[in-house]
Each structure stands twice: as structure tokens, then as C-alpha cells.
Amino acid sequence: MTMKRTELEKRKALAIANAQRSSGHRSRPAPADRKAQRAADRAAGLVPFAVKLPAALVAELNAHALRTGVPVGEAVAALLRSALASAAVGAGR
């Protein structure tokens, strides 16, 4: 008995998925790793803070981080500190 092409493709996909599962391949980090990372971030006083920004501004932020050689989060923190300090000085006039 011959198999239909779709059935053959389904079996191939299942074989690949099973092979990945048995080899320990993970497309995402293990949940325990994320939990440990969150705990380390909290201990360091870091708080997740999501904002929606224009794509062009995000590209500028990424380019700035690459130029300065620091992670994006650190670059954003430094730029925010600088802008807030400038705003505080300007408000105190």
C-alpha cells in the first residue's frame, strides 16, 4: 500500500521532532534557567520595563550600543540618566 504525499511529509516531520527531542535540542532555554536569571536580575535591582518605540529610534539605540560596545540595556539606562539629569537642571532655572 502506498502512502499519500501528505502522510509521508507528516511522518518525516514527526521523525525530525522525535530526533530533536531525544538529542536534547531545545529551541528555548529551560524554564529553570529563566527563573534563575530573573532571580539574579531582581537581586541586582533590575526591573523589566517594556515600552513601545518607533523602529527608527530602536535602530539608533542599537547602533549606539554597538558603537559604544555596551549592551542595549546599559546604553538605554545611561541615556535615560543623562536626559533626566539635563531635564532636572533645566527645570531648576
Side-chain angles (χ1 to χ4, degrees):
M1 181 170 153
T2 60
M3 283 192 260
K4 292 182 180 179
R5 182 170 177 82
T6 55
E7 184 64 28
L8 184 61
E9 293 300 321
K10 283 182 194 176
R11 288 184 183 226
K12 283 182 187 178
L14 284 173
I16 291 170
N18 288 334
Q20 286 179 339
R21 257 188 249 122
S22 66
S23 70
H25 172 76
R26 290 185 175 263
S27 60
R28 299 180 186 160
D33 295 341
R34 286 192 303 253
K35 188 174 182 179
Q37 183 61 50
R38 283 190 206 112
D41 287 347
R42 271 193 304 274
L46 300 176
V47 178
F49 185 75
V51 296
K52 294 183 187 250
L53 300 171
L57 182 57
V58 172
E60 282 184 63
L61 285 169
N62 287 327
H64 175 75
L66 281 173
R67 265 194 320 275
T68 57
V70 297
V72 175
E74 289 179 26
V76 170
L79 290 168
L80 282 172
R81 280 189 199 100
S82 174
L84 290 171
S86 295
V89 169
R93 289 183 200 194

